[in-house]
Amino acid sequence: MERTPTEGAATRGAGTWIILPTYNEAENLPPISAAILEALPGATLLVVDDSSPDGTGDLADGLAAADPRVRVKHRTAKQGLGKAYLDGFGEALAAGAAIVVQMDADWSHDPAALPSLIAPVEDGAADLVIGSRYTEGGAVEDWGILRRVISRGGSLFAKVVLDLTPNDLTGGFKAWRATTLASVPFDGVRAGGYVFQIEMTYRATRLGARVAEVPITFKDRRVGQSKMSRRIVIEALFVVMGLRWEELRGRGPVPQPE
């Protein structure tokens, strides 16, 4: 029996889990949660909160009590964006997710782009889809020249050093086929946010994942301050070089035969 258009819209995103790490996002969480579930009404939203002192975790609990599509994972301390994603990934995979999406809670990733982000995975055309600022049709708004250079330069550096195809390797708006995500060993993955994005794409690519990019318009966060720092950028550069060095020594994600 075919579903009507209304029924199809109501279940859009079924089997998809959206992982949303939060730390002091009390002003952003309620409206962005509503926007996410409006874009993908059939999805499950998992908020991973690092004991935010501003009460974000309590707000998330209230959202979950009011809507069964919302779930909350509380962590006892701030342990890094990458670790928050890995914990969320593990919970989504254990629950039987078919597609796992990662995105920020600060409105830099537009929830309205979610259907186009997951479409290549749903259609069987890709195993990992990157919401890309640096592919044709992508854009960045509200950034100064220095931050643009750091972001674009970091992606280009990682692309060249690690011999990768995607243009946007530092962005965090991604959709994963669950089986592909499950094939990436989480042990040893760096927890830093900036380098985490590069490393996960690198590991998935080396394991044979088909990676696609869809254009997005990235906007600077609406509320609060960016969590980017000089230390994070420097860490990313050193880790990228370390990943390449390990691979040259036959110790990469796919070890070379001795």
Side-chain angles (χ1 to χ4, degrees):
M1 179 174 162
E2 294 185 3
R3 291 180 298 179
T4 67
T6 301
E7 290 171 332
T11 59
R12 185 187 304 124
T16 298
W17 280 57
I18 296 103
I19 313 303
L20 194 73
T22 56
Y23 185 78
N24 286 348
E25 298 286 3
E27 292 183 72
N28 286 320
L29 182 61
I32 200 166
S33 297
I36 288 169
L37 293 173
E38 180 180 0
L40 295 180
T44 297
L45 172 62
L46 175 61
V47 179
V48 182
D49 186 68
D50 279 2
S51 297
S52 298
D54 72 345
T56 301
D58 293 335
L59 276 174
D61 286 336
L63 294 173
D67 191 331
R69 297 174 296 175
V70 180
R71 305 190 187 189
V72 187
K73 185 175 183 64
H74 293 280
R75 304 200 310 158
T76 57
K78 192 177 181 183
Q79 302 170 41
L81 181 64
K83 188 64 167 62
Y85 274 129
L86 292 176
D87 286 351
F89 290 166
E91 190 153 321
L93 293 173
I99 298 173
V100 181
V101 172
Q102 55 179 92
M103 66 183 294
D104 293 341
D106 60 9
W107 292 97
S108 56
H109 300 148
D110 185 356
L114 283 166
S116 63
L117 187 75
I118 68 172
V121 181
E122 290 181 317
D123 296 342
D127 304 307
L128 167 60
V129 182
I130 300 172
S132 178
R133 301 160 289 183
Y134 306 132
T135 195
E136 184 177 358
V140 174
E141 297 182 356
D142 308 320
W143 272 10
I145 186 64
L146 179 60
R147 192 168 179 192
R148 289 173 184 266
V149 168
I150 290 173
S151 174
R152 191 68 180 262
S155 284
L156 181 59
F157 177 80
K159 179 176 181 175
V160 171
V161 172
L162 298 175
D163 190 24
L164 297 171
T165 301
N167 296 302
D168 193 342
L169 291 167
T170 59
F173 196 19
K174 298 178 179 177
W176 294 84
R177 186 180 305 281
T179 52
T180 298
L181 182 59
S183 73
V184 179
F186 293 167
D187 291 345
V189 174
R190 282 71 170 178
Y194 196 70
V195 72
F196 171 79
Q197 311 299 354
I198 298 171
E199 184 170 3
M200 287 296 289
T201 299
Y202 159 75
R203 290 181 178 274
T205 300
R206 290 300 192 267
L207 292 170
R210 298 165 300 160
V211 183
E213 290 182 281
V214 297
I216 63 165
T217 297
F218 182 97
K219 299 180 180 181
D220 204 8
R221 61 180 299 125
R222 292 187 182 178
V223 178
Q225 298 296 317
S226 169
K227 298 175 177 64
M228 179 61 65
S229 70
R230 182 181 300 178
R231 180 190 63 79
I232 291 172
V233 174
I234 293 173
E235 175 198 22
L237 297 178
F238 276 99
V239 170
V240 165
M241 291 187 291
L243 290 171
R244 183 57 177 158
W245 175 241
E246 289 175 2
E247 189 169 43
L248 290 172
R249 298 173 67 194
R251 299 179 180 178
V254 182
Q256 300 299 312
E258 296 183 359

